[in-house]
Amino acid sequence: MSMFNWMVCAVVIGAAGVSAASATEQKMESSSSTPFVSHELTVPSPLGPLPATLVVPKGAGPFPAVLLVAGSGPNDRDETVGPNKPFLDLAQGLAAAGIASLRYDKRTRVYGKEIVGKDITIDDEVTDDALSALQVLGRQPSIDSHRLFVVGHSLGAVMAPRIGQRDPHLAGIVLMSGSPQFGIDTIVRQARYIGSLQGVPPAEMDAKLAPLLKAHEELAHADPKHPPSGNFVGAPASYWLSLRDYDGAATAKALRQPMLIMQGSNDYQVTPKDDFSRWQATFAHDPRVKLVEYPGLGHLYMPAGNPPSPADYDKAGHVDTRVIQDLAEWIKAQRASP
């Protein structure tokens, strides 16, 4: 797949079939030798139920719990990328530390065909289903409803502050590789980086990116009440306009919940220079926010190349144990919500 197509496919709101967790994974999660138990649930959405997996530590509850909110595109509940399943790693690692979790197949995966051609927004893709999933999670008898946390990754992290804004009773919010803002300009930046790795001449790169730059310019001046027709980078104008008018850093600044913001130093999609630095500037003197950068880790919190590249996603790995340990310790240190 070419560099340009790879970047476009990463954000397309496309049609896809349901992909439940594999039989092997289900057996592993339900094995008598594991310190946790998995339960199959569903999360209601306007288009129908979203398959989900609740992982609960063995022993006496109720347990603190996290909702795992995935990145862009039609992700499954494990946030599968090539041979890697970072959300499966997080769910099992947190359960071993005494923390439950809920993860679900995204609406864009389960109902992709129904979404195509509709004027969806970022809330349709991320926020609304996350809020619905939190309600499901809080109703489980094994879960402490006063100790619910959102753990967003990538686009899920971008929208985590809005989720916290709309559910003020959350005990805490975690951003893993989250940009303060996300839009077509972010894709352009990523594409230029990949092009530089491949030695694409600047003039050729400009030609490849011309449709994206044109779309970005058109949407920058568009009226959300009268959005332009057609798709822009695989999604309708309504989607990009809903992101244009959302500032994750400003939203996060206004929240009262404690936050943990995590960043891989070798992440080329969400970078320390362009993204994490803004979080650092926003919360440099805020005691309720902890910021942690992990040397050598990429976007999936697995070892990345130097320089990092899309080839990193093809290497089988697991979320670094340091990340899971830090996440678990931070969650346990937070007080229950009122």
Side-chain angles (χ1 to χ4, degrees), residues 49 51 94 130 153 167 171 183 207 220 240 277:
L94 290 173
H153 176 241
D167 188 349
W240 296 111
S277 62

Side-chain angles (χ1 to χ4, degrees), residues 38-213:
S38 295
H39 306 278
E40 294 307 295
L41 302 176
T42 58
V43 171
S45 82
L47 297 180
L50 305 175
T53 299
L54 174 70
V55 178
V56 183
K58 291 180 180 177
F63 298 99
V66 304
L67 175 70
L68 298 172
V69 183
S72 60
N75 277 294
D76 65 16
R77 71 193 78 178
D78 294 336
E79 205 183 37
T80 301
V81 180
N84 302 299
K85 297 179 179 291
F87 274 13
L88 178 63
D89 292 344
L90 288 175
Q92 294 183 349
L94 290 173
I99 299 168
S101 66
L102 181 67
R103 62 192 198 275
Y104 56 96
D105 293 341
K106 286 180 63 176
R107 191 192 305 187
T108 47
R109 182 174 188 84
V110 183
Y111 300 104
K113 292 180 180 178
E114 290 84 351
I115 289 172
V116 171
K118 302 294 178 60
D119 288 334
I120 69 166
T121 68
I122 189 61
D123 289 337
D124 294 322
E125 185 192 7
V126 179
T127 315
D128 294 346
D129 293 339
L131 292 168
S132 180
L134 283 168
Q135 293 182 1
V136 172
L137 182 58
R139 289 196 297 265
Q140 303 307 309
S142 57
I143 301 304
D144 183 349
S145 61
H146 296 288
R147 299 193 68 197
L148 299 183
F149 300 80
V150 162
V151 178
H153 176 241
S154 196
L155 184 63
V158 173
M159 300 311 299
R162 174 170 283 181
I163 297 168
Q165 180 187 56
R166 296 186 178 178
D167 188 349
H169 297 297
L170 288 173
I173 300 167
V174 180
L175 281 63
M176 301 181 72
S177 301
S179 298
Q181 286 183 299
F182 177 79
I184 293 177
D185 55 330
T186 309
I187 301 170
V188 170
R189 185 188 76 198
Q190 295 171 357
R192 287 195 186 281
Y193 172 79
I194 297 172
S196 70
L197 293 180
Q198 298 178 343
V200 179
E204 182 180 339
M205 195 70 235
D206 289 343
K208 287 179 177 291
L209 293 175
L212 275 74
L213 295 169

Side-chain angles (χ1 to χ4, degrees), residues 263-268 270-273 293-298 301 304 308:
Q263 173 73 45
S265 69
N266 282 33
D267 186 345
Y268 71 85
V270 177
T271 73
K273 177 183 177 181
E293 185 173 345
Y294 295 91
L297 300 187
Y301 292 87

